[in-house]
Amino acid sequence: MNDKADSAAPEEIRDYIRDIIRDDLAAGRRDVIVTRFPPEPNGYLHIGHAKSICLNFGIANEFGGRCHMRFDDTNPVKEEHEYIDAIQEDVQWLGFDWGEHLYFASDHFERLYSWAEHLINAGDAYIDDLSPDEIREHRGTLIEPGRNSPFRNRLMAENLDLFRRMRAGEFPNGARVLRAKVDMASGNMNMRDPVIYRILHAAHPRTGDAWCIYPTYDFAHGQSDAIEGVTHSICTLEFEDHRPLYDWLISHLPTDMVPLQYEFSRLNLTYTVLSKRRLIQLMQEKYVRGWDDPRLPSLRGLRRRGIPPLAIRDFISRLAISKSDGVVDVALLEHCVRELLNKTAERRMAVLNPLKVVIENWPEGKIDELDAVNNPNDESAGTRRINFSGEIYIEQGDFMEEPAKKFFRLAPGREVRLRYAYFITCREAIKNEAGEVVELRCTYDPESRGGSSPDGRKVKGTLHWASAQDAISAEVRLYNHLFTSENPGAEDDVLDDLNPDSLQVLENCWLEPDLANAPLGEALQFERQGYFCPDPDSTPERPVFNRTISLRDDWARIQKQNKKS
Ligand code: ATP
Ligand code: MG
């Protein structure tokens, strides 16, 4: 894992792809840098895609070029409009803009078809009547060369006629395919006469019933790059073995544009699965609520969880762009989130597991308005007024009847500070029949208003609180990793690694009243607890908040330990 400096100026970002681009520009091989982000619209985007998005759009921005948004929509069976719209929204949410450069591989279907005929005419492609199973058998293995199909030497005219009849819909699915005539003995399986067109009688989200043959990935991706004038086609490592085919096809097609493919390693994260197939399974089998479940690494999920797009971009900017696979500690992402929210989020007080406190010497009916700081890291955020009265709530965890050794919070006879308010001393703990503490009786020191005492006496604990009279009742959802294993699915089925405690719902929380009006998308720090945001399930009567992240920073702790050892 590579942990780069926090804020390198854009022109200083260095990695092997950017170095190649600098060389290409310096040598005059390219004038304008054109990249693309090419999702297949068969699911929602996740944080792995964000790495590709930030890289492609980032490069275009840094080098004054452009990045195309291109949908790789060549498989009508799995693709849907819903995904096309959501993907665009998510890329925009991350803060990137493709301007007028929105493309679909399906925009190019007519050109791709004519290029396929071009290959046939040049003797570089043929129609194969073998069944899919027979084609597989003929392909050979990693140690054995493939065998030529008996249809490999079909006459050009017959190939052309059959291809046109495939397009006209004369044949059922799977009856024939168009294959590029490359080399059945190649050591690279992708070069063994790859299928470039298949028959699929299926309606396409964009082209409807216009086509019943569709190009494969290999005959759409590089071709779309060439048609759109993409210069650097940046993809993940699993396409490295496709590169010779990418180059072969471009060199056999009637185009002067020669895009080149470069690969980088995928993002993998601890405690996380990043695969659309897996994410779809988790949803369909109802382990999570939907694509935007805040426990998912989908961009929708991260957004609902309250993770700001800038934190994601900061996180991605700290990753190595290289050709070696690795797994990134999810604590680094969490660290980026905390670092940003610590600067930007306003502070509020919220009691999540309430314990009632009655202040016995509080003047009956009195309400005291106190000043509270909105953000100690940002003076311009100002202050707010909060009401204090004779009945408040504190956290159950802030009281111990028999305090443990290093417990400095409230206990019988002990005095603590209530944040922004007064010192209180616990006089009595009242219990229910089951022996549980249900209420505390305390007294306050009127001289300690604002949180200090004129006689200079010190208290060791400062607690947050909510005023019973005007706090609002809310539901708060606490999230933990969706998986208990660092590498889910490494040992057994992924599902066996699901964390049964990934969601904890607290129904009985008390919040500062102005939180009822917090707009969606607003991040707040609940003091001493973490960062939270309103959930779309909120209603005016009943706000619902998500915990984005707790305050404890595992990443900072790990870094400290590393320094020590
Ligand atoms: P998944 O494996 O999650 O289903 P995919 O690779 O099939 O994803 P595509 O829609 O084809 O998804 O991906 C669009 C782009 O995003 C591709 O260029 C792909 O290489 C890149 N990408 C996908 N996952 C990651 C990842 N984990 N890290 C970096 N880039 C990724
Ligand atoms: Mg893919």
Side-chain angles (χ1 to χ4, degrees):
M1 129 117 283
N2 188 338
D3 192 7
K4 273 196 307 165
D6 277 7
S7 55
E11 57 273 20
E12 288 165 16
I13 301 179
R14 293 207 82 100
D15 55 56
Y16 95 97
I17 293 178
R18 287 174 167 94
D19 285 346
I20 288 171
I21 290 174
R22 279 188 196 95
D23 284 352
D24 286 345
L25 286 168
R29 281 189 292 273
R30 306 282 191 192
D31 319 319
V32 183
I33 301 303
V34 184
T35 57
R36 84 289 166 267
F37 173 63
E40 189 184 346
N42 60 353
Y44 284 70
L45 299 180
H46 53 62
I47 194 164
H49 294 108
K51 184 175 180 188
S52 174
I53 295 167
C54 292
L55 183 62
N56 280 295
F57 281 95
I59 284 178
N61 290 340
E62 285 152 47
F63 293 96
R66 58 177 205 264
C67 179
H68 295 182
M69 176 76 201
R70 173 182 342 126
F71 286 95
D72 234 327
D73 56 346
T74 52
N75 184 358
V77 182
K78 284 195 188 159
E79 296 162 4
E80 287 173 30
H81 259 302
E82 178 197 345
Y83 298 137
I84 294 176
D85 297 339
I87 287 172
Q88 293 185 55
E89 250 180 63
D90 287 350
V91 175
Q92 281 164 339
W93 175 73
L94 269 184
F96 296 107
D97 180 13
W98 50 88
E100 61 201 20
H101 296 284
L102 170 64
Y103 302 96
F104 292 82
S106 56
D107 294 341
H108 311 314
F109 277 173
E110 197 59 56
R111 178 90 68 106
L112 296 176
Y113 177 84
S114 75
W115 280 2
E117 285 206 352
H118 175 92
L119 290 181
I120 294 174
N121 285 322
D124 291 325
Y126 61 96
I127 302 292
D128 198 344
D129 298 355
L130 292 183
S131 69
D133 281 343
E134 289 167 324
I135 290 183
R136 214 167 299 126
E137 267 167 47
H138 277 72
R139 246 182 126 209
T141 65
L142 286 174
I143 44 171
E144 254 176 82
R147 283 176 292 133
N148 286 352
S149 160
F151 301 98
R152 196 172 198 263
N153 290 321
R154 239 179 190 148
L155 293 179
M156 191 269 279
E158 191 186 345
N159 282 321
L160 198 57
D161 174 59
L162 284 171
F163 190 47
R164 289 179 178 171
R165 287 165 59 197
M166 273 168 64
R167 177 179 184 169
E170 278 190 36
F171 311 117
N173 289 355
R176 305 193 144 84
V177 291
L178 180 68
R179 301 178 71 175
K181 202 184 225 180
V182 189
D183 178 6
M184 287 306 290
S186 171
N188 181 336
M189 301 284 281
N190 294 299
M191 299 296 269
R192 294 185 187 169
D193 291 10
V195 172
I196 58 175
Y197 260 94
R198 66 242 200 257
I199 302 172
L200 264 178
H201 290 273
H204 185 282
R206 300 195 79 245
T207 58
D209 292 324
W211 296 88
C212 62
I213 57 172
Y214 292 95
T216 56
Y217 170 87
D218 284 318
F219 198 66
H221 196 88
Q223 290 55 43
S224 303
D225 288 340
I227 293 166
E228 294 170 19
V230 167
T231 54
H232 297 75
S233 182
I234 303 167
C235 60
T236 35
L237 273 181
E238 70 269 24
F239 294 104
E240 198 168 23
D241 289 343
H242 291 243
R243 181 162 18 98
L245 177 60
Y246 183 104
D247 294 339
W248 187 95
L249 285 168
I250 293 290
S251 68
H252 286 74
L253 291 173
T255 169
D256 295 332
M257 182 63 211
V258 183
L260 293 173
Q261 176 184 305
Y262 301 93
E263 305 89 20
F264 69 99
S265 59
R266 297 175 85 83
L267 170 65
N268 301 303
L269 271 181
T270 56
Y271 299 101
T272 309
V273 296
L274 290 181
S275 135
K276 280 186 277 194
R277 192 174 57 81
R278 281 293 185 200
L279 299 181
I280 288 174
Q281 183 193 10
L282 289 173
M283 274 174 24
Q284 282 175 346
E285 297 175 18
K286 306 253 185 289
Y287 294 104
V288 295
R289 294 175 29 160
W291 277 107
D292 65 348
D293 189 299
R295 290 166 292 178
L296 287 182
S298 59
L299 295 183
R300 297 268 148 143
L302 297 172
R303 176 161 150 197
R304 184 162 184 177
R305 174 118 174 207
I307 293 186
L310 280 180
I312 297 176
R313 290 174 62 165
D314 177 34
F315 165 67
I316 301 285
S317 78
R318 300 179 192 217
L319 305 177
I321 301 297
S322 75
K323 293 190 102 168
S324 49
D325 272 319
V327 182
V328 175
D329 194 329
V330 73
L332 176 60
L333 171 63
E334 295 168 351
H335 171 75
C336 294
V337 174
R338 286 189 189 95
E339 201 173 75
L340 179 65
L341 292 182
N342 183 35
K343 289 182 212 141
T344 56
E346 289 205 359
R347 274 54 170 173
R348 291 293 182 274
M349 291 196 289
V351 174
L352 304 187
N353 294 296
L355 174 59
K356 193 168 172 188
V357 175
V358 175
I359 298 174
E360 293 179 316
N361 59 338
W362 187 261
E364 172 104 33
K366 178 180 169 178
I367 291 175
D368 193 2
E369 270 194 13
L370 303 160
D371 284 319
V373 174
N374 285 332
N375 185 346
N377 295 322
D378 177 9
E379 222 175 287
S380 72
T383 58
R384 66 188 184 283
R385 310 227 86 186
I386 47 177
N387 288 338
F388 189 86
S389 61
E391 267 187 29
I392 58 165
Y393 296 106
I394 63 167
E395 294 292 340
Q396 287 167 17
D398 281 338
F399 174 80
M400 272 182 109
E401 200 174 10
E402 288 164 33
K405 218 171 168 202
K406 287 194 175 163
F407 186 84
F408 298 120
R409 293 168 256 166
L410 204 54
R414 198 182 274 177
E415 186 171 48
V416 296
R417 174 188 297 109
L418 293 177
R419 182 104 162 118
Y420 301 120
Y422 295 93
F423 287 8
I424 58 167
T425 304
C426 178
R427 303 295 171 188
E428 189 189 351
I430 295 176
K431 293 182 185 173
N432 62 12
E433 280 167 12
E436 299 154 347
V437 176
V438 290
E439 185 180 311
L440 300 180
R441 298 280 162 155
C442 297
T443 55
Y444 85 114
D445 174 1
E447 301 297 311
S448 64
R449 188 175 189 275
S452 59
S453 64
D455 63 11
R457 99 186 164 267
K458 296 264 186 287
V459 289
K460 278 195 171 156
T462 300
L463 313 186
H464 62 273
W465 50 273
S467 153
Q469 208 173 42
D470 59 356
I472 51 165
S473 158
E475 174 180 322
V476 173
R477 300 175 183 164
L478 306 181
Y479 301 100
N480 294 304
H481 294 149
L482 187 53
F483 295 94
T484 49
S485 158
E486 253 191 48
N487 186 358
E491 310 264 307
D492 291 296
D493 193 282
V494 176
L495 298 178
D496 294 336
D497 290 331
L498 275 168
N499 179 3
D501 301 319
S502 59
L503 169 63
Q504 193 189 346
V505 179
L506 304 175
E507 310 258 6
N508 190 21
C509 309
W510 294 103
L511 274 46
E512 274 188 49
D514 76 336
L515 289 172
N517 308 317
L520 286 183
E522 172 110 341
L524 295 143
Q525 186 192 98
F526 290 176
E527 293 204 31
R528 299 176 65 224
Q529 322 242 26
Y531 297 97
F532 292 76
C533 68
D535 186 85
D537 284 347
S538 296
T539 62
E541 296 76 43
R542 182 133 175 101
V544 177
F545 276 79
N546 294 319
R547 182 173 70 192
T548 306
I549 192 94
S550 67
L551 287 179
R552 201 185 66 169
D553 191 336
D554 290 329
W555 182 253
R557 191 174 45 79
I558 294 165
Q559 296 303 89
K560 234 186 235 163
Q561 274 170 1
N562 286 351
K563 254 183 216 151
K564 269 192 214 151
S565 58

Short mmCIF file of all heavy atoms in Angstrom, two decimals, residues 66-102:
data_model
loop_
_atom_site.label_atom_id
_atom_site.label_comp_id
_atom_site.label_asym_id
_atom_site.label_seq_id
_atom_site.Cartn_x
_atom_site.Cartn_y
_atom_site.Cartn_z
N ARG A 66 -9.70 15.71 -22.43
CA ARG A 66 -11.09 15.46 -22.08
C ARG A 66 -11.29 13.98 -21.76
O ARG A 66 -10.50 13.13 -22.18
CB ARG A 66 -12.03 15.90 -23.20
CG ARG A 66 -11.76 15.24 -24.53
CD ARG A 66 -12.79 15.67 -25.58
NE ARG A 66 -12.90 14.67 -26.61
CZ ARG A 66 -12.23 14.72 -27.77
NH1 ARG A 66 -11.42 15.73 -28.03
NH2 ARG A 66 -12.38 13.76 -28.66
N CYS A 67 -12.33 13.73 -20.99
CA CYS A 67 -12.66 12.34 -20.64
C CYS A 67 -14.08 12.06 -21.09
O CYS A 67 -15.00 12.82 -20.77
CB CYS A 67 -12.52 12.12 -19.13
SG CYS A 67 -12.92 10.44 -18.63
N HIS A 68 -14.25 11.00 -21.84
CA HIS A 68 -15.58 10.62 -22.31
C HIS A 68 -16.28 9.73 -21.30
O HIS A 68 -15.64 8.90 -20.67
CB HIS A 68 -15.49 9.84 -23.62
CG HIS A 68 -14.96 10.66 -24.76
ND1 HIS A 68 -14.84 10.17 -26.03
CD2 HIS A 68 -14.51 11.95 -24.80
CE1 HIS A 68 -14.34 11.12 -26.83
NE2 HIS A 68 -14.12 12.20 -26.10
N MET A 69 -17.56 9.93 -21.18
CA MET A 69 -18.38 8.99 -20.42
C MET A 69 -18.93 8.03 -21.46
O MET A 69 -19.65 8.44 -22.36
CB MET A 69 -19.50 9.79 -19.77
CG MET A 69 -20.49 8.96 -19.03
SD MET A 69 -19.75 8.45 -17.47
CE MET A 69 -20.81 7.07 -17.16
N ARG A 70 -18.52 6.77 -21.37
CA ARG A 70 -19.00 5.82 -22.38
C ARG A 70 -19.58 4.56 -21.78
O ARG A 70 -18.93 3.88 -20.99
CB ARG A 70 -17.89 5.40 -23.33
CG ARG A 70 -18.46 4.29 -24.23
CD ARG A 70 -17.60 3.66 -25.23
NE ARG A 70 -16.45 4.39 -25.53
CZ ARG A 70 -15.22 3.84 -25.45
NH1 ARG A 70 -15.04 2.61 -25.10
NH2 ARG A 70 -14.19 4.58 -25.75
N PHE A 71 -20.78 4.26 -22.15
CA PHE A 71 -21.40 3.03 -21.69
C PHE A 71 -21.05 1.90 -22.64
O PHE A 71 -21.22 2.00 -23.84
CB PHE A 71 -22.91 3.21 -21.58
CG PHE A 71 -23.28 4.05 -20.40
CD1 PHE A 71 -23.49 5.41 -20.55
CD2 PHE A 71 -23.37 3.49 -19.15
CE1 PHE A 71 -23.78 6.20 -19.44
CE2 PHE A 71 -23.67 4.26 -18.04
CZ PHE A 71 -23.89 5.61 -18.19
N ASP A 72 -20.54 0.83 -22.02
CA ASP A 72 -20.19 -0.36 -22.77
C ASP A 72 -21.42 -1.25 -22.82
O ASP A 72 -21.50 -2.24 -22.11
CB ASP A 72 -19.06 -1.06 -21.99
CG ASP A 72 -17.87 -1.30 -22.88
OD1 ASP A 72 -18.09 -1.53 -24.07
OD2 ASP A 72 -16.75 -1.27 -22.35
N ASP A 73 -22.39 -0.86 -23.65
CA ASP A 73 -23.69 -1.54 -23.60
C ASP A 73 -23.83 -2.55 -24.73
O ASP A 73 -24.68 -2.42 -25.59
CB ASP A 73 -24.83 -0.51 -23.64
CG ASP A 73 -24.74 0.41 -24.86
OD1 ASP A 73 -23.68 0.43 -25.52
OD2 ASP A 73 -25.73 1.10 -25.15
N THR A 74 -22.98 -3.58 -24.68
CA THR A 74 -23.01 -4.57 -25.76
C THR A 74 -23.71 -5.86 -25.35
O THR A 74 -23.80 -6.78 -26.15
CB THR A 74 -21.58 -4.93 -26.19
OG1 THR A 74 -20.83 -5.30 -25.04
CG2 THR A 74 -20.91 -3.75 -26.88
N ASN A 75 -24.17 -5.94 -24.12
CA ASN A 75 -24.87 -7.16 -23.68
C ASN A 75 -26.27 -6.82 -23.22
O ASN A 75 -26.52 -6.60 -22.05
CB ASN A 75 -24.08 -7.83 -22.56
CG ASN A 75 -24.72 -9.15 -22.15
OD1 ASN A 75 -25.78 -9.54 -22.68
ND2 ASN A 75 -24.10 -9.86 -21.22
N PRO A 76 -27.24 -6.79 -24.16
CA PRO A 76 -28.59 -6.31 -23.85
C PRO A 76 -29.29 -7.15 -22.78
O PRO A 76 -30.22 -6.70 -22.15
CB PRO A 76 -29.33 -6.41 -25.19
CG PRO A 76 -28.55 -7.36 -26.01
CD PRO A 76 -27.13 -7.23 -25.56
N VAL A 77 -28.80 -8.37 -22.56
CA VAL A 77 -29.50 -9.26 -21.63
C VAL A 77 -29.39 -8.78 -20.19
O VAL A 77 -30.30 -8.93 -19.39
CB VAL A 77 -28.96 -10.69 -21.77
CG1 VAL A 77 -29.69 -11.64 -20.86
CG2 VAL A 77 -29.09 -11.15 -23.22
N LYS A 78 -28.24 -8.17 -19.84
CA LYS A 78 -28.02 -7.81 -18.44
C LYS A 78 -28.15 -6.31 -18.18
O LYS A 78 -27.96 -5.86 -17.06
CB LYS A 78 -26.61 -8.21 -18.03
CG LYS A 78 -26.45 -9.69 -17.79
CD LYS A 78 -25.15 -9.90 -17.05
CE LYS A 78 -24.78 -11.35 -16.93
NZ LYS A 78 -23.35 -11.50 -16.69
N GLU A 79 -28.38 -5.53 -19.23
CA GLU A 79 -28.25 -4.09 -19.07
C GLU A 79 -29.59 -3.39 -18.99
O GLU A 79 -30.55 -3.79 -19.61
CB GLU A 79 -27.38 -3.54 -20.21
CG GLU A 79 -25.98 -4.13 -20.11
CD GLU A 79 -25.16 -4.03 -21.37
OE1 GLU A 79 -25.63 -3.44 -22.33
OE2 GLU A 79 -24.04 -4.57 -21.36
N GLU A 80 -29.65 -2.32 -18.22
CA GLU A 80 -30.92 -1.64 -17.98
C GLU A 80 -30.76 -0.13 -17.93
O GLU A 80 -29.73 0.37 -17.53
CB GLU A 80 -31.50 -2.10 -16.64
CG GLU A 80 -32.04 -3.51 -16.67
CD GLU A 80 -32.43 -3.99 -15.28
OE1 GLU A 80 -32.84 -3.14 -14.46
OE2 GLU A 80 -32.32 -5.20 -15.04
N HIS A 81 -31.86 0.54 -18.29
CA HIS A 81 -31.90 2.00 -18.25
C HIS A 81 -31.63 2.56 -16.87
O HIS A 81 -30.94 3.56 -16.70
CB HIS A 81 -33.27 2.50 -18.70
CG HIS A 81 -33.25 2.97 -20.11
ND1 HIS A 81 -32.41 3.98 -20.52
CD2 HIS A 81 -33.93 2.58 -21.19
CE1 HIS A 81 -32.59 4.18 -21.81
NE2 HIS A 81 -33.51 3.34 -22.26
N GLU A 82 -32.22 1.89 -15.89
CA GLU A 82 -32.05 2.32 -14.50
C GLU A 82 -30.56 2.52 -14.18
O GLU A 82 -30.17 3.51 -13.55
CB GLU A 82 -32.63 1.23 -13.60
CG GLU A 82 -32.50 1.49 -12.12
CD GLU A 82 -32.70 0.22 -11.29
OE1 GLU A 82 -33.22 -0.80 -11.83
OE2 GLU A 82 -32.31 0.24 -10.11
N TYR A 83 -29.73 1.59 -14.64
CA TYR A 83 -28.31 1.67 -14.34
C TYR A 83 -27.65 2.82 -15.11
O TYR A 83 -26.76 3.48 -14.60
CB TYR A 83 -27.62 0.36 -14.69
CG TYR A 83 -28.12 -0.84 -13.90
CD1 TYR A 83 -28.36 -2.06 -14.52
CD2 TYR A 83 -28.32 -0.75 -12.53
CE1 TYR A 83 -28.80 -3.16 -13.80
CE2 TYR A 83 -28.75 -1.85 -11.80
CZ TYR A 83 -29.00 -3.05 -12.44
OH TYR A 83 -29.41 -4.14 -11.73
N ILE A 84 -28.10 3.02 -16.33
CA ILE A 84 -27.50 4.09 -17.15
C ILE A 84 -27.69 5.43 -16.45
O ILE A 84 -26.76 6.23 -16.33
CB ILE A 84 -28.13 4.09 -18.56
CG1 ILE A 84 -27.76 2.80 -19.31
CG2 ILE A 84 -27.70 5.33 -19.35
CD1 ILE A 84 -28.39 2.64 -20.68
N ASP A 85 -28.90 5.67 -15.97
CA ASP A 85 -29.17 6.95 -15.30
C ASP A 85 -28.40 7.06 -13.99
O ASP A 85 -27.80 8.09 -13.69
CB ASP A 85 -30.67 7.09 -15.01
CG ASP A 85 -31.49 7.12 -16.29
OD1 ASP A 85 -30.90 7.45 -17.34
OD2 ASP A 85 -32.69 6.81 -16.25
N ALA A 86 -28.41 5.99 -13.22
CA ALA A 86 -27.77 6.03 -11.90
C ALA A 86 -26.26 6.24 -12.03
O ALA A 86 -25.66 6.99 -11.26
CB ALA A 86 -28.06 4.74 -11.15
N ILE A 87 -25.66 5.61 -13.01
CA ILE A 87 -24.21 5.72 -13.17
C ILE A 87 -23.84 7.17 -13.49
O ILE A 87 -22.88 7.73 -12.94
CB ILE A 87 -23.72 4.75 -14.28
CG1 ILE A 87 -23.78 3.31 -13.75
CG2 ILE A 87 -22.30 5.10 -14.73
CD1 ILE A 87 -23.50 2.24 -14.78
N GLN A 88 -24.62 7.81 -14.35
CA GLN A 88 -24.31 9.21 -14.68
C GLN A 88 -24.44 10.09 -13.45
O GLN A 88 -23.59 10.95 -13.18
CB GLN A 88 -25.25 9.71 -15.77
CG GLN A 88 -25.00 9.00 -17.09
CD GLN A 88 -25.85 9.56 -18.21
OE1 GLN A 88 -25.83 10.75 -18.48
NE2 GLN A 88 -26.62 8.70 -18.84
N GLU A 89 -25.49 9.87 -12.69
CA GLU A 89 -25.69 10.66 -11.47
C GLU A 89 -24.51 10.47 -10.51
O GLU A 89 -24.04 11.43 -9.90
CB GLU A 89 -26.93 10.14 -10.75
CG GLU A 89 -28.09 11.07 -10.76
CD GLU A 89 -29.24 10.40 -10.02
OE1 GLU A 89 -29.12 10.12 -8.79
OE2 GLU A 89 -30.24 10.12 -10.70
N ASP A 90 -24.07 9.23 -10.39
CA ASP A 90 -23.01 8.94 -9.42
C ASP A 90 -21.68 9.57 -9.84
O ASP A 90 -20.92 10.04 -9.00
CB ASP A 90 -22.84 7.42 -9.24
CG ASP A 90 -23.99 6.83 -8.44
OD1 ASP A 90 -24.79 7.60 -7.86
OD2 ASP A 90 -24.09 5.58 -8.39
N VAL A 91 -21.39 9.58 -11.13
CA VAL A 91 -20.13 10.19 -11.58
C VAL A 91 -20.20 11.70 -11.35
O VAL A 91 -19.24 12.33 -10.89
CB VAL A 91 -19.86 9.87 -13.07
CG1 VAL A 91 -18.62 10.62 -13.56
CG2 VAL A 91 -19.66 8.37 -13.27
N GLN A 92 -21.38 12.28 -11.60
CA GLN A 92 -21.54 13.72 -11.35
C GLN A 92 -21.43 14.02 -9.86
O GLN A 92 -20.85 15.02 -9.46
CB GLN A 92 -22.88 14.20 -11.90
CG GLN A 92 -22.80 14.40 -13.40
CD GLN A 92 -24.17 14.49 -14.07
OE1 GLN A 92 -25.18 14.05 -13.51
NE2 GLN A 92 -24.20 15.06 -15.25
N TRP A 93 -22.00 13.14 -9.06
CA TRP A 93 -21.91 13.34 -7.61
C TRP A 93 -20.45 13.36 -7.15
O TRP A 93 -20.06 14.16 -6.29
CB TRP A 93 -22.68 12.22 -6.90
CG TRP A 93 -22.56 12.26 -5.40
CD1 TRP A 93 -23.14 13.16 -4.55
CD2 TRP A 93 -21.79 11.37 -4.59
NE1 TRP A 93 -22.77 12.87 -3.26
CE2 TRP A 93 -21.96 11.78 -3.25
CE3 TRP A 93 -21.00 10.24 -4.86
CZ2 TRP A 93 -21.35 11.12 -2.18
CZ3 TRP A 93 -20.40 9.58 -3.79
CH2 TRP A 93 -20.57 10.03 -2.47
N LEU A 94 -19.63 12.52 -7.77
CA LEU A 94 -18.21 12.52 -7.42
C LEU A 94 -17.53 13.82 -7.85
O LEU A 94 -16.42 14.13 -7.42
CB LEU A 94 -17.48 11.36 -8.09
CG LEU A 94 -17.37 10.04 -7.35
CD1 LEU A 94 -16.54 9.06 -8.16
CD2 LEU A 94 -16.74 10.21 -5.97
N GLY A 95 -18.19 14.56 -8.73
CA GLY A 95 -17.68 15.88 -9.10
C GLY A 95 -17.05 15.94 -10.48
O GLY A 95 -16.28 16.85 -10.76
N PHE A 96 -17.38 14.99 -11.35
CA PHE A 96 -16.77 15.00 -12.68
C PHE A 96 -17.81 15.30 -13.75
O PHE A 96 -19.00 15.04 -13.58
CB PHE A 96 -16.07 13.67 -12.95
CG PHE A 96 -14.91 13.43 -12.02
CD1 PHE A 96 -15.00 12.50 -10.98
CD2 PHE A 96 -13.76 14.18 -12.14
CE1 PHE A 96 -13.95 12.30 -10.11
CE2 PHE A 96 -12.68 13.98 -11.27
CZ PHE A 96 -12.78 13.05 -10.26
N ASP A 97 -17.31 15.83 -14.86
CA ASP A 97 -18.19 16.34 -15.89
C ASP A 97 -17.62 15.96 -17.26
O ASP A 97 -16.48 16.27 -17.55
CB ASP A 97 -18.24 17.88 -15.74
CG ASP A 97 -19.14 18.52 -16.77
OD1 ASP A 97 -19.90 17.79 -17.44
OD2 ASP A 97 -19.06 19.75 -16.91
N TRP A 98 -18.41 15.29 -18.06
CA TRP A 98 -17.94 14.88 -19.39
C TRP A 98 -18.41 15.86 -20.47
O TRP A 98 -18.17 15.62 -21.65
CB TRP A 98 -18.42 13.46 -19.71
CG TRP A 98 -19.89 13.29 -19.47
CD1 TRP A 98 -20.91 13.53 -20.36
CD2 TRP A 98 -20.53 12.86 -18.26
NE1 TRP A 98 -22.12 13.29 -19.77
CE2 TRP A 98 -21.93 12.87 -18.48
CE3 TRP A 98 -20.06 12.46 -17.00
CZ2 TRP A 98 -22.86 12.51 -17.50
CZ3 TRP A 98 -20.99 12.11 -16.03
CH2 TRP A 98 -22.36 12.14 -16.28
N GLY A 99 -19.08 16.95 -20.04
CA GLY A 99 -19.55 17.92 -21.02
C GLY A 99 -20.45 17.27 -22.04
O GLY A 99 -21.39 16.56 -21.69
N GLU A 100 -20.13 17.47 -23.33
CA GLU A 100 -21.00 16.89 -24.36
C GLU A 100 -20.56 15.48 -24.75
O GLU A 100 -21.13 14.87 -25.64
CB GLU A 100 -20.99 17.80 -25.59
CG GLU A 100 -19.59 17.94 -26.19
CD GLU A 100 -19.46 19.20 -27.05
OE1 GLU A 100 -20.30 20.10 -26.87
OE2 GLU A 100 -18.55 19.26 -27.89
N HIS A 101 -19.54 14.97 -24.05
CA HIS A 101 -18.95 13.71 -24.50
C HIS A 101 -19.55 12.49 -23.81
O HIS A 101 -18.87 11.75 -23.11
CB HIS A 101 -17.43 13.75 -24.34
CG HIS A 101 -16.81 14.79 -25.22
ND1 HIS A 101 -16.65 14.60 -26.57
CD2 HIS A 101 -16.38 16.04 -24.96
CE1 HIS A 101 -16.12 15.69 -27.11
NE2 HIS A 101 -15.95 16.58 -26.15
N LEU A 102 -20.84 12.32 -24.05
CA LEU A 102 -21.52 11.12 -23.54
C LEU A 102 -21.72 10.18 -24.72
O LEU A 102 -22.31 10.56 -25.73
CB LEU A 102 -22.87 11.53 -22.95
CG LEU A 102 -23.81 10.39 -22.58
CD1 LEU A 102 -23.23 9.53 -21.46
CD2 LEU A 102 -25.18 10.94 -22.17
#
